[in-house]
Structures are given as C-alpha cells and as structure tokens.
mmCIF file of all heavy atoms in Angstrom:
data_model
loop_
_atom_site.group_PDB
_atom_site.id
_atom_site.type_symbol
_atom_site.label_atom_id
_atom_site.label_comp_id
_atom_site.label_asym_id
_atom_site.label_seq_id
_atom_site.Cartn_x
_atom_site.Cartn_y
_atom_site.Cartn_z
ATOM 1 N N ALA A 92 -45.215 -16.837 41.197
ATOM 2 C CA ALA A 92 -46.588 -16.565 41.627
ATOM 3 C C ALA A 92 -47.209 -15.439 40.803
ATOM 4 O O ALA A 92 -48.389 -15.497 40.422
ATOM 5 C CB ALA A 92 -46.623 -16.223 43.109
ATOM 6 N N SER A 93 -46.429 -14.420 40.499
ATOM 7 C CA SER A 93 -46.924 -13.319 39.670
ATOM 8 C C SER A 93 -47.261 -13.800 38.263
ATOM 9 O O SER A 93 -48.251 -13.363 37.658
ATOM 10 C CB SER A 93 -45.881 -12.202 39.604
ATOM 11 O OG SER A 93 -45.677 -11.612 40.877
ATOM 12 N N ALA A 94 -46.441 -14.717 37.747
ATOM 13 C CA ALA A 94 -46.699 -15.257 36.412
ATOM 14 C C ALA A 94 -48.005 -16.043 36.389
ATOM 15 O O ALA A 94 -48.756 -15.998 35.402
ATOM 16 C CB ALA A 94 -45.542 -16.149 35.981
ATOM 17 N N VAL A 95 -48.289 -16.777 37.458
ATOM 18 C CA VAL A 95 -49.556 -17.506 37.529
ATOM 19 C C VAL A 95 -50.728 -16.537 37.550
ATOM 20 O O VAL A 95 -51.748 -16.748 36.868
ATOM 21 C CB VAL A 95 -49.584 -18.428 38.771
ATOM 22 C CG1 VAL A 95 -50.949 -19.096 38.909
ATOM 23 C CG2 VAL A 95 -48.495 -19.490 38.679
ATOM 24 N N ARG A 96 -50.598 -15.457 38.295
ATOM 25 C CA ARG A 96 -51.678 -14.456 38.333
ATOM 26 C C ARG A 96 -51.896 -13.831 36.956
ATOM 27 O O ARG A 96 -53.042 -13.603 36.533
ATOM 28 C CB ARG A 96 -51.371 -13.376 39.375
ATOM 29 C CG ARG A 96 -51.557 -13.859 40.822
ATOM 30 C CD ARG A 96 -51.570 -12.686 41.786
ATOM 31 N NE ARG A 96 -50.267 -12.019 41.856
ATOM 32 C CZ ARG A 96 -49.286 -12.374 42.662
ATOM 33 N NH1 ARG A 96 -49.439 -13.416 43.479
ATOM 34 N NH2 ARG A 96 -48.145 -11.703 42.682
ATOM 35 N N ARG A 97 -50.802 -13.546 36.244
ATOM 36 C CA ARG A 97 -50.939 -12.987 34.897
ATOM 37 C C ARG A 97 -51.610 -13.992 33.963
ATOM 38 O O ARG A 97 -52.400 -13.613 33.084
ATOM 39 C CB ARG A 97 -49.566 -12.588 34.348
ATOM 40 C CG ARG A 97 -48.988 -11.336 34.989
ATOM 41 C CD ARG A 97 -47.814 -10.799 34.179
ATOM 42 N NE ARG A 97 -46.714 -11.748 34.099
ATOM 43 C CZ ARG A 97 -45.747 -11.847 35.006
ATOM 44 N NH1 ARG A 97 -45.742 -11.064 36.078
ATOM 45 N NH2 ARG A 97 -44.772 -12.721 34.844
ATOM 46 N N ALA A 98 -51.294 -15.273 34.138
ATOM 47 C CA ALA A 98 -51.935 -16.308 33.324
ATOM 48 C C ALA A 98 -53.441 -16.341 33.588
ATOM 49 O O ALA A 98 -54.245 -16.511 32.654
ATOM 50 C CB ALA A 98 -51.317 -17.673 33.616
ATOM 51 N N ALA A 99 -53.827 -16.179 34.851
ATOM 52 C CA ALA A 99 -55.251 -16.158 35.185
ATOM 53 C C ALA A 99 -55.947 -14.963 34.532
ATOM 54 O O ALA A 99 -57.091 -15.077 34.052
ATOM 55 C CB ALA A 99 -55.430 -16.125 36.698
ATOM 56 N N GLU A 100 -55.271 -13.828 34.496
ATOM 57 C CA GLU A 100 -55.840 -12.645 33.827
ATOM 58 C C GLU A 100 -55.953 -12.891 32.320
ATOM 59 O O GLU A 100 -56.949 -12.493 31.687
ATOM 60 C CB GLU A 100 -54.962 -11.430 34.113
ATOM 61 C CG GLU A 100 -54.976 -10.985 35.566
ATOM 62 C CD GLU A 100 -53.882 -9.976 35.897
ATOM 63 O OE1 GLU A 100 -53.121 -9.614 34.965
ATOM 64 O OE2 GLU A 100 -53.778 -9.571 37.070
ATOM 65 N N ALA A 101 -54.943 -13.560 31.755
ATOM 66 C CA ALA A 101 -54.989 -13.872 30.324
ATOM 67 C C ALA A 101 -56.121 -14.844 30.016
ATOM 68 O O ALA A 101 -56.769 -14.757 28.956
ATOM 69 C CB ALA A 101 -53.653 -14.464 29.878
ATOM 70 N N PHE A 102 -56.387 -15.764 30.932
ATOM 71 C CA PHE A 102 -57.471 -16.727 30.739
ATOM 72 C C PHE A 102 -58.813 -16.026 30.593
ATOM 73 O O PHE A 102 -59.651 -16.415 29.769
ATOM 74 C CB PHE A 102 -57.506 -17.713 31.910
ATOM 75 C CG PHE A 102 -58.754 -18.552 31.966
ATOM 76 C CD1 PHE A 102 -59.035 -19.473 30.964
ATOM 77 C CD2 PHE A 102 -59.647 -18.426 33.022
ATOM 78 C CE1 PHE A 102 -60.192 -20.253 31.017
ATOM 79 C CE2 PHE A 102 -60.802 -19.193 33.072
ATOM 80 C CZ PHE A 102 -61.073 -20.105 32.073
ATOM 81 N N ALA A 103 -59.035 -14.983 31.378
ATOM 82 C CA ALA A 103 -60.309 -14.265 31.323
ATOM 83 C C ALA A 103 -60.580 -13.742 29.918
ATOM 84 O O ALA A 103 -61.737 -13.703 29.460
ATOM 85 C CB ALA A 103 -60.309 -13.129 32.337
ATOM 86 N N ASP A 104 -59.520 -13.351 29.210
ATOM 87 C CA ASP A 104 -59.667 -12.880 27.828
ATOM 88 C C ASP A 104 -59.698 -14.039 26.839
ATOM 89 O O ASP A 104 -60.548 -14.091 25.942
ATOM 90 C CB ASP A 104 -58.517 -11.934 27.488
ATOM 91 C CG ASP A 104 -58.447 -11.624 26.002
ATOM 92 O OD1 ASP A 104 -59.364 -10.968 25.493
ATOM 93 O OD2 ASP A 104 -57.478 -12.078 25.339
ATOM 94 N N TRP A 105 -58.772 -14.983 27.000
ATOM 95 C CA TRP A 105 -58.628 -16.072 26.027
ATOM 96 C C TRP A 105 -59.892 -16.922 25.927
ATOM 97 O O TRP A 105 -60.290 -17.327 24.838
ATOM 98 C CB TRP A 105 -57.427 -16.926 26.411
ATOM 99 C CG TRP A 105 -57.140 -18.077 25.503
ATOM 100 C CD1 TRP A 105 -57.230 -19.405 25.808
ATOM 101 C CD2 TRP A 105 -56.693 -18.021 24.142
ATOM 102 N NE1 TRP A 105 -56.878 -20.177 24.729
ATOM 103 C CE2 TRP A 105 -56.540 -19.337 23.690
ATOM 104 C CE3 TRP A 105 -56.419 -16.964 23.278
ATOM 105 C CZ2 TRP A 105 -56.127 -19.645 22.406
ATOM 106 C CZ3 TRP A 105 -55.999 -17.265 21.986
ATOM 107 C CH2 TRP A 105 -55.861 -18.590 21.561
ATOM 108 N N ARG A 106 -60.553 -17.184 27.034
ATOM 109 C CA ARG A 106 -61.747 -18.035 27.008
ATOM 110 C C ARG A 106 -62.877 -17.392 26.209
ATOM 111 O O ARG A 106 -63.775 -18.092 25.712
ATOM 112 C CB ARG A 106 -62.227 -18.322 28.429
ATOM 113 C CG ARG A 106 -62.789 -17.121 29.176
ATOM 114 C CD ARG A 106 -63.306 -17.511 30.551
ATOM 115 N NE ARG A 106 -64.338 -18.544 30.462
ATOM 116 C CZ ARG A 106 -64.859 -19.174 31.509
ATOM 117 N NH1 ARG A 106 -64.420 -18.906 32.737
ATOM 118 N NH2 ARG A 106 -65.795 -20.081 31.343
ATOM 119 N N GLU A 107 -62.839 -16.048 26.084
ATOM 120 C CA GLU A 107 -63.883 -15.335 25.344
ATOM 121 C C GLU A 107 -63.571 -15.229 23.848
ATOM 122 O O GLU A 107 -64.447 -14.834 23.073
ATOM 123 C CB GLU A 107 -64.077 -13.929 25.926
ATOM 124 C CG GLU A 107 -64.520 -13.909 27.377
ATOM 125 C CD GLU A 107 -65.861 -14.592 27.589
ATOM 126 O OE1 GLU A 107 -66.706 -14.544 26.672
ATOM 127 O OE2 GLU A 107 -66.061 -15.195 28.674
ATOM 128 N N ARG A 108 -62.340 -15.570 23.469
ATOM 129 C CA ARG A 108 -62.016 -15.521 22.046
ATOM 130 C C ARG A 108 -62.854 -16.563 21.307
ATOM 131 O O ARG A 108 -63.080 -17.674 21.815
ATOM 132 C CB ARG A 108 -60.534 -15.825 21.809
ATOM 133 C CG ARG A 108 -59.567 -14.861 22.492
ATOM 134 C CD ARG A 108 -59.449 -13.551 21.752
ATOM 135 N NE ARG A 108 -58.431 -12.696 22.357
ATOM 136 C CZ ARG A 108 -57.212 -12.518 21.867
ATOM 137 N NH1 ARG A 108 -56.835 -13.136 20.763
ATOM 138 N NH2 ARG A 108 -56.363 -11.713 22.490
ATOM 139 N N PRO A 109 -63.316 -16.270 20.102
ATOM 140 C CA PRO A 109 -64.057 -17.279 19.336
ATOM 141 C C PRO A 109 -63.226 -18.551 19.171
ATOM 142 O O PRO A 109 -62.000 -18.492 18.993
ATOM 143 C CB PRO A 109 -64.303 -16.588 17.988
ATOM 144 C CG PRO A 109 -64.222 -15.126 18.290
ATOM 145 C CD PRO A 109 -63.200 -14.988 19.384
ATOM 146 N N LEU A 110 -63.892 -19.680 19.205
ATOM 147 C CA LEU A 110 -63.194 -20.957 19.076
ATOM 148 C C LEU A 110 -62.409 -21.016 17.777
ATOM 149 O O LEU A 110 -61.287 -21.537 17.735
ATOM 150 C CB LEU A 110 -64.198 -22.106 19.156
ATOM 151 C CG LEU A 110 -63.673 -23.530 18.994
ATOM 152 C CD1 LEU A 110 -62.535 -23.823 19.969
ATOM 153 C CD2 LEU A 110 -64.806 -24.539 19.176
ATOM 154 N N ALA A 111 -62.963 -20.459 16.716
ATOM 155 C CA ALA A 111 -62.260 -20.468 15.428
ATOM 156 C C ALA A 111 -60.935 -19.714 15.526
ATOM 157 O O ALA A 111 -59.931 -20.119 14.922
ATOM 158 C CB ALA A 111 -63.140 -19.852 14.349
ATOM 159 N N GLU A 112 -60.911 -18.638 16.293
ATOM 160 C CA GLU A 112 -59.673 -17.873 16.460
ATOM 161 C C GLU A 112 -58.653 -18.669 17.260
ATOM 162 O O GLU A 112 -57.455 -18.676 16.918
ATOM 163 C CB GLU A 112 -59.976 -16.539 17.156
ATOM 164 C CG GLU A 112 -58.741 -15.679 17.341
ATOM 165 C CD GLU A 112 -59.027 -14.383 18.084
ATOM 166 O OE1 GLU A 112 -60.211 -14.009 18.201
ATOM 167 O OE2 GLU A 112 -58.057 -13.751 18.567
ATOM 168 N N ARG A 113 -59.114 -19.329 18.305
ATOM 169 C CA ARG A 113 -58.187 -20.151 19.095
ATOM 170 C C ARG A 113 -57.590 -21.262 18.232
ATOM 171 O O ARG A 113 -56.381 -21.539 18.290
ATOM 172 C CB ARG A 113 -58.910 -20.735 20.315
ATOM 173 C CG ARG A 113 -59.494 -19.689 21.247
ATOM 174 C CD ARG A 113 -59.763 -20.237 22.628
ATOM 175 N NE ARG A 113 -60.655 -21.372 22.675
ATOM 176 C CZ ARG A 113 -61.953 -21.338 23.002
ATOM 177 N NH1 ARG A 113 -62.533 -20.159 23.275
ATOM 178 N NH2 ARG A 113 -62.675 -22.435 23.062
ATOM 179 N N CYS A 114 -58.424 -21.902 17.426
ATOM 180 C CA CYS A 114 -57.930 -22.965 16.557
ATOM 181 C C CYS A 114 -56.932 -22.430 15.527
ATOM 182 O O CYS A 114 -55.924 -23.083 15.220
ATOM 183 C CB CYS A 114 -59.097 -23.643 15.843
ATOM 184 S SG CYS A 114 -60.132 -24.672 16.922
ATOM 185 N N GLU A 115 -57.195 -21.237 15.029
ATOM 186 C CA GLU A 115 -56.299 -20.647 14.038
ATOM 187 C C GLU A 115 -54.915 -20.403 14.628
ATOM 188 O O GLU A 115 -53.882 -20.690 13.994
ATOM 189 C CB GLU A 115 -56.888 -19.339 13.526
ATOM 190 C CG GLU A 115 -56.039 -18.679 12.447
ATOM 191 C CD GLU A 115 -56.596 -17.345 11.986
ATOM 192 O OE1 GLU A 115 -57.699 -16.974 12.438
ATOM 193 O OE2 GLU A 115 -55.920 -16.681 11.174
ATOM 194 N N ILE A 116 -54.856 -19.895 15.851
ATOM 195 C CA ILE A 116 -53.560 -19.626 16.483
ATOM 196 C C ILE A 116 -52.812 -20.926 16.760
ATOM 197 O O ILE A 116 -51.601 -21.022 16.529
ATOM 198 C CB ILE A 116 -53.769 -18.803 17.769
ATOM 199 C CG1 ILE A 116 -54.171 -17.374 17.395
ATOM 200 C CG2 ILE A 116 -52.508 -18.796 18.631
ATOM 201 C CD1 ILE A 116 -54.552 -16.503 18.568
ATOM 202 N N VAL A 117 -53.523 -21.943 17.225
ATOM 203 C CA VAL A 117 -52.878 -23.243 17.452
ATOM 204 C C VAL A 117 -52.373 -23.814 16.132
ATOM 205 O O VAL A 117 -51.283 -24.401 16.063
ATOM 206 C CB VAL A 117 -53.851 -24.211 18.155
ATOM 207 C CG1 VAL A 117 -53.290 -25.637 18.178
ATOM 208 C CG2 VAL A 117 -54.130 -23.739 19.584
ATOM 209 N N GLY A 118 -53.122 -23.632 15.073
ATOM 210 C CA GLY A 118 -52.662 -24.079 13.757
ATOM 211 C C GLY A 118 -51.419 -23.344 13.304
ATOM 212 O O GLY A 118 -50.530 -23.927 12.670
ATOM 213 N N ARG A 119 -51.336 -22.046 13.626
ATOM 214 C CA ARG A 119 -50.142 -21.278 13.235
ATOM 215 C C ARG A 119 -48.902 -21.771 13.960
ATOM 216 O O ARG A 119 -47.779 -21.637 13.447
ATOM 217 C CB ARG A 119 -50.366 -19.789 13.493
ATOM 218 C CG ARG A 119 -51.185 -19.104 12.410
ATOM 219 C CD ARG A 119 -50.854 -17.613 12.313
ATOM 220 N NE ARG A 119 -51.166 -16.892 13.536
ATOM 221 C CZ ARG A 119 -52.341 -16.302 13.782
ATOM 222 N NH1 ARG A 119 -53.319 -16.378 12.910
ATOM 223 N NH2 ARG A 119 -52.522 -15.652 14.913
ATOM 224 N N ALA A 120 -49.078 -22.312 15.157
ATOM 225 C CA ALA A 120 -47.919 -22.859 15.876
ATOM 226 C C ALA A 120 -47.252 -23.968 15.071
ATOM 227 O O ALA A 120 -46.027 -24.129 15.116
ATOM 228 C CB ALA A 120 -48.342 -23.371 17.249
ATOM 229 N N ALA A 121 -48.055 -24.725 14.316
ATOM 230 C CA ALA A 121 -47.483 -25.774 13.463
ATOM 231 C C ALA A 121 -46.558 -25.164 12.418
ATOM 232 O O ALA A 121 -45.477 -25.703 12.114
ATOM 233 C CB ALA A 121 -48.596 -26.576 12.798
ATOM 234 N N GLU A 122 -46.957 -24.031 11.851
ATOM 235 C CA GLU A 122 -46.120 -23.361 10.854
ATOM 236 C C GLU A 122 -44.819 -22.866 11.481
ATOM 237 O O GLU A 122 -43.742 -22.980 10.881
ATOM 238 C CB GLU A 122 -46.893 -22.188 10.252
ATOM 239 C CG GLU A 122 -48.173 -22.579 9.534
ATOM 240 C CD GLU A 122 -48.976 -21.364 9.102
ATOM 241 O OE1 GLU A 122 -48.410 -20.245 9.096
ATOM 242 O OE2 GLU A 122 -50.165 -21.531 8.771
ATOM 243 N N VAL A 123 -44.920 -22.297 12.693
ATOM 244 C CA VAL A 123 -43.717 -21.805 13.379
ATOM 245 C C VAL A 123 -42.760 -22.968 13.636
ATOM 246 O O VAL A 123 -41.533 -22.850 13.447
ATOM 247 C CB VAL A 123 -44.098 -21.100 14.693
ATOM 248 C CG1 VAL A 123 -42.840 -20.684 15.462
ATOM 249 C CG2 VAL A 123 -44.982 -19.890 14.427
ATOM 250 N N LEU A 124 -43.305 -24.078 14.075
ATOM 251 C CA LEU A 124 -42.470 -25.249 14.359
ATOM 252 C C LEU A 124 -41.756 -25.734 13.101
ATOM 253 O O LEU A 124 -40.558 -26.030 13.123
ATOM 254 C CB LEU A 124 -43.324 -26.370 14.940
ATOM 255 C CG LEU A 124 -43.743 -26.201 16.399
ATOM 256 C CD1 LEU A 124 -44.915 -27.115 16.738
ATOM 257 C CD2 LEU A 124 -42.572 -26.485 17.337
ATOM 258 N N ARG A 125 -42.476 -25.817 12.009
ATOM 259 C CA ARG A 125 -41.858 -26.320 10.778
ATOM 260 C C ARG A 125 -40.838 -25.330 10.221
ATOM 261 O O ARG A 125 -39.806 -25.738 9.682
ATOM 262 C CB ARG A 125 -42.938 -26.642 9.749
ATOM 263 C CG ARG A 125 -43.782 -27.863 10.149
ATOM 264 C CD ARG A 125 -44.364 -28.579 8.939
ATOM 265 N NE ARG A 125 -44.885 -29.884 9.352
ATOM 266 C CZ ARG A 125 -46.153 -30.142 9.647
ATOM 267 N NH1 ARG A 125 -47.043 -29.158 9.580
ATOM 268 N NH2 ARG A 125 -46.544 -31.342 10.002
ATOM 269 N N ASP A 126 -41.123 -24.045 10.367
ATOM 270 C CA ASP A 126 -40.155 -23.042 9.903
ATOM 271 C C ASP A 126 -38.852 -23.111 10.700
ATOM 272 O O ASP A 126 -37.771 -22.853 10.165
ATOM 273 C CB ASP A 126 -40.748 -21.636 10.027
ATOM 274 C CG ASP A 126 -41.834 -21.366 8.988
ATOM 275 O OD1 ASP A 126 -41.917 -22.128 8.012
ATOM 276 O OD2 ASP A 126 -42.601 -20.401 9.183
ATOM 277 N N GLY A 127 -38.948 -23.448 11.988
ATOM 278 C CA GLY A 127 -37.755 -23.502 12.835
ATOM 279 C C GLY A 127 -37.283 -24.904 13.140
ATOM 280 O O GLY A 127 -36.551 -25.117 14.118
ATOM 281 N N LEU A 128 -37.673 -25.871 12.296
ATOM 282 C CA LEU A 128 -37.418 -27.287 12.586
ATOM 283 C C LEU A 128 -35.960 -27.566 12.907
ATOM 284 O O LEU A 128 -35.649 -28.223 13.918
ATOM 285 C CB LEU A 128 -37.894 -28.149 11.411
ATOM 286 C CG LEU A 128 -37.812 -29.668 11.599
ATOM 287 C CD1 LEU A 128 -38.963 -30.357 10.871
ATOM 288 C CD2 LEU A 128 -36.484 -30.221 11.073
ATOM 289 N N GLU A 129 -35.053 -27.099 12.096
ATOM 290 C CA GLU A 129 -33.635 -27.414 12.315
ATOM 291 C C GLU A 129 -33.134 -26.813 13.624
ATOM 292 O O GLU A 129 -32.378 -27.452 14.370
ATOM 293 C CB GLU A 129 -32.796 -26.918 11.142
ATOM 294 C CG GLU A 129 -32.949 -27.738 9.878
ATOM 295 C CD GLU A 129 -32.508 -29.197 10.057
ATOM 296 O OE1 GLU A 129 -31.579 -29.453 10.855
ATOM 297 O OE2 GLU A 129 -33.098 -30.061 9.395
ATOM 298 N N GLU A 130 -33.545 -25.584 13.912
ATOM 299 C CA GLU A 130 -33.110 -24.919 15.144
ATOM 300 C C GLU A 130 -33.617 -25.672 16.374
ATOM 301 O O GLU A 130 -32.862 -25.934 17.323
ATOM 302 C CB GLU A 130 -33.649 -23.490 15.157
ATOM 303 C CG GLU A 130 -33.411 -22.738 16.464
ATOM 304 C CD GLU A 130 -34.189 -21.444 16.536
ATOM 305 O OE1 GLU A 130 -34.743 -21.003 15.494
ATOM 306 O OE2 GLU A 130 -34.262 -20.873 17.644
ATOM 307 N N TYR A 131 -34.898 -26.039 16.368
ATOM 308 C CA TYR A 131 -35.473 -26.716 17.529
ATOM 309 C C TYR A 131 -34.914 -28.137 17.684
ATOM 310 O O TYR A 131 -34.656 -28.597 18.800
ATOM 311 C CB TYR A 131 -36.997 -26.760 17.413
ATOM 312 C CG TYR A 131 -37.643 -25.407 17.291
ATOM 313 C CD1 TYR A 131 -38.624 -25.163 16.335
ATOM 314 C CD2 TYR A 131 -37.262 -24.351 18.120
ATOM 315 C CE1 TYR A 131 -39.225 -23.915 16.211
ATOM 316 C CE2 TYR A 131 -37.847 -23.095 17.996
ATOM 317 C CZ TYR A 131 -38.823 -22.885 17.041
ATOM 318 O OH TYR A 131 -39.410 -21.650 16.914
#
C-alpha cells in the first residue's frame, strides 16, 4: 500500500515532465535491455 502511495506521488511529477523527456527515457530502456540481453 505504501508503494502505491509513492507511485501516486511520482505520478504528480512524471505527468508534468515534457513528453520528449518521457520518450527519451523509454527509448533508453531499449539500450539497457540490449546491453543486458544475455543476462535477462
């Protein structure tokens, strides 16, 4: 329950981030995945 509340607090900030910034972070996840491909 505490984790859900923290997620709600994070949402208040994340929704205000520029869309370009959100897209950039999601794009970086692709790099992390490919760098750790064998491990995952």
